[in-house]
Amino acid sequence: MYPIQGGDDKLDSLWRAYRAACPDREPSANFMPGLWQRIEARRSFSFSFERMVRGFVTATAALAIAIGVYVSLPSPTPALETSYLEALAEANTLDTPDNIGPVRLDWTEPRR
Amino acid sequence: MLVEFDVVRRAQQGDSAAFNDIVLAYRKRTMGTIGRLIARTEDVEDVAQEVFLRLYFSLDQLRTPEVFEPWLYRLTVNAAYDYLRKQRRRPEFRMADLSEQQVMMADAVAGSKVEKDERQQTKLRETVNALLGAISESDRVLLLMKEVEGLSLRELEKIYRVKENALKVRLFRARQRVLKACGAAERQNENG
């Protein structure tokens, strides 16, 4: 380990020595081409992602419109032409339920 | 400022030549700062490219060219911090991990004076690195920006967007921890 003897002053001199041991460095010849390559890679990635998102949004909007149009169109099936109450009345006509007759009550006193 | 405000403005409007001028003007200084913050020479260029990559995609968020330098420092600090955090998760490869033959080869290569100086500097970097291991990555970056980069509290306030007093407290605590680690290392040197 690099020799250090405690205290604030020593720490300050350590910082100075560290500053001197790490001077500003010259970048390599590959720095700028490498940087532009990374920029292009990020840009093309975000471009294709953006295109994908845009495509997805368009498809969703088209689907929503299609569903809206389909729902709003009058249905050719007769079942949908009748109202809810009409359908209910048709399914439960008054003469159909045999089991729902008048209640018979036996008023005779039980024999003892 | 190492470039005119107009160059920053043009780069903000998407002028690639202006952006190139900014990188050419600031890359050396940025690499120096990163080198001191991360203390690993082999990764400095990669982190510096990351800084300028972030700059390229965030230039439109810059309000005025007058705050360009604190903005670039902020990006530098963030990239160094991200790198240090990733490094902590990754196992470190040190001289102790090398085989005997590799160490002998490394020693033979490091025979000349220039290489001896380089070894001394490496030792110093390792020492500072070890001492800074006593504090968090964010405090390490803050402390180095103040003590080694020589930035004032006012400049740090602009970079960190934190009140001066809060920075003072953080710096004081970080320095105290490093001093404590210094004392411990000193005692270890005396004993062993």
Side-chain angles (χ1 to χ4, degrees):
Chain A
M1 203 168 189
Y2 191 84
I4 356 140
Q5 264 114 45
D8 271 317
D9 295 341
K10 296 286 175 185
L11 194 57
D12 285 337
S13 69
L14 183 72
W15 298 137
R16 276 196 297 276
Y18 182 66
R19 177 81 173 80
C22 308
D24 286 356
R25 293 156 40 109
E26 281 299 334
S28 74
N30 200 36
F31 187 85
M32 292 306 278
L35 173 64
W36 279 107
Q37 240 171 25
R38 284 172 80 162
I39 289 173
E40 285 308 319
R42 177 79 64 93
R43 205 193 268 161
S44 67
F45 172 76
S46 47
F47 178 68
S48 53
F49 182 73
E50 205 179 290
R51 256 179 39 178
M52 199 178 79
V53 168
R54 206 175 290 161
F56 181 74
V57 168
T58 311
T60 311
L63 190 70
I65 291 170
I67 291 170
V69 167
Y70 177 76
V71 166
S72 64
L73 278 178
S75 170
T77 51
L80 288 173
E81 281 170 7
T82 54
S83 72
Y84 172 69
L85 284 176
E86 282 167 352
L88 200 66
E90 208 170 293
N92 301 291
T93 48
L94 286 173
D95 51 331
T96 30
D98 291 339
N99 54 343
I100 314 172
V103 181
R104 285 178 192 157
L105 296 170
D106 195 3
W107 292 104
T108 53
E109 269 185 40
R111 284 180 194 164
R112 292 182 186 177
Chain B
M1 280 284 279
L2 300 177
V3 289
E4 300 288 323
F5 291 147
D6 187 50
V7 178
V8 179
R9 251 180 236 117
R10 279 193 286 122
Q12 279 186 295
Q13 285 154 9
D15 186 339
S16 299
F19 178 74
N20 239 13
D21 288 346
I22 292 175
V23 179
L24 290 173
Y26 281 96
R27 63 181 180 175
K28 195 177 168 186
R29 194 172 92 177
T30 305
M31 279 179 65
T33 304
I34 293 166
R36 290 181 285 276
L37 292 180
I38 70 172
R40 287 190 85 130
T41 48
E42 64 271 25
D43 294 332
V44 170
E45 200 158 301
D46 188 50
V47 180
Q49 280 183 347
E50 180 62 31
V51 171
F52 289 110
L53 182 73
R54 290 180 188 186
L55 177 73
Y56 184 86
F57 288 101
S58 62
L59 258 179
D60 54 334
Q61 292 167 31
L62 187 71
R63 280 174 288 115
T64 58
E66 284 78 10
V67 291
F68 173 75
E69 282 198 345
W71 177 269
L72 183 60
Y73 263 128
R74 193 175 166 79
L75 294 177
T76 308
V77 162
N78 285 341
Y81 174 61
D82 290 345
Y83 171 86
L84 289 168
R85 260 188 7 200
K86 273 187 215 155
Q87 267 323 100
R88 190 160 276 196
R89 273 185 249 131
R90 222 178 286 160
E92 212 163 321
F93 188 73
R94 290 184 175 279
M95 281 292 268
D97 303 327
L98 299 176
S99 71
E100 202 177 324
Q101 200 181 354
Q102 284 172 315
V103 173
M104 273 166 67
M105 247 167 73
D107 280 345
V109 168
S112 70
K113 192 195 172 301
V114 177
E115 271 130 11
K116 264 180 194 158
D117 287 348
E118 181 54 41
R119 278 179 79 184
Q120 183 76 3
Q121 288 184 348
T122 308
K123 217 175 197 180
L124 175 62
R125 280 197 291 268
E126 274 183 8
T127 303
V128 171
N129 227 358
L131 291 177
L132 292 170
I135 55 177
S136 68
E137 286 89 357
S138 54
D139 282 348
R140 170 202 175 110
V141 173
L142 176 65
L143 193 64
L144 287 175
M145 291 298 274
K146 172 79 176 69
E147 305 288 0
V148 180
E149 293 305 303
L151 295 185
S152 67
L153 280 168
R154 189 155 290 180
E155 284 169 313
L156 287 171
E157 200 181 33
K158 274 187 198 161
I159 296 165
Y160 280 85
R161 293 175 190 159
V162 173
K163 290 253 182 283
E164 204 178 300
N165 279 342
L167 285 174
K168 269 186 196 167
V169 171
R170 266 182 73 181
L171 279 166
F172 177 76
R173 282 185 189 155
R175 203 181 154 91
Q176 288 306 109
R177 279 196 199 115
V178 173
L179 269 173
K180 211 171 160 183
C182 253
E186 212 180 316
R187 276 193 298 279
Q188 209 174 358
N189 278 347
E190 280 165 10
N191 295 337

